[in-house]
Amino acid sequence: MVDWIFMGGPGQGAHMQVDSVKHMSWQAQVRGHKQWQLAPPPECLYHCRWITFTVAPGEILVVDTNRWYHKTNVLPGDISITIGAEYD
Ligand SMILES: O=C(O)CCC(=O)C(=O)O
């Protein structure tokens, strides 16, 4: 299983992608604010909506990044630090 840490300054983030890891994951926002955009997996493309939200320090996101396309953007004000791990 993969553990990870993402760090970046305002305006940085991940481009729209899906992952290729074994399980879904939790991601805890430690510092800074980061906007996420989730785009539905193909099987619910015509029924599900895009989801856009911001995570703040102390919040934890649980998402299957293998299925949901995702994109992130660190918001102005501080660097962003996120830790996460796969779980089953
Ligand atoms: O947290 C980020 O900025 C990127 C997260 C990501 O792309 C991932 O978990 O696969």
Side-chain angles (χ1 to χ4, degrees):
M1 294 222 243
V2 178
D3 299 330
W4 55 79
I5 181 167
F6 295 105
M7 294 186 284
Q12 295 185 310
H15 57 84
M16 187 61 84
Q17 42 142 353
V18 281
D19 293 339
S20 181
V21 291
K22 283 200 177 125
H23 303 287
M24 52 193 301
S25 59
W26 59 265
Q27 310 216 10
Q29 189 69 18
V30 176
R31 180 171 171 171
H33 291 76
K34 188 162 62 180
Q35 186 181 68
W36 282 76
Q37 281 188 296
L38 301 180
E43 56 267 35
C44 75
L45 188 61
Y46 300 110
H47 307 288
C48 304
R49 285 197 241 157
W50 283 52
I51 304 168
T52 302
F53 57 92
T54 298
V55 287
E59 294 182 331
I60 297 176
L61 167 69
V62 175
V63 62
D64 188 347
T65 57
N66 295 299
R67 298 171 75 83
W68 284 82
Y69 284 81
H70 52 284
K71 176 180 180 196
T72 61
N73 181 46
V74 177
L75 298 178
D78 202 354
I79 64 164
S80 170
I81 301 176
T82 311
I83 57 171
E86 288 179 78
Y87 79 94
D88 63 5

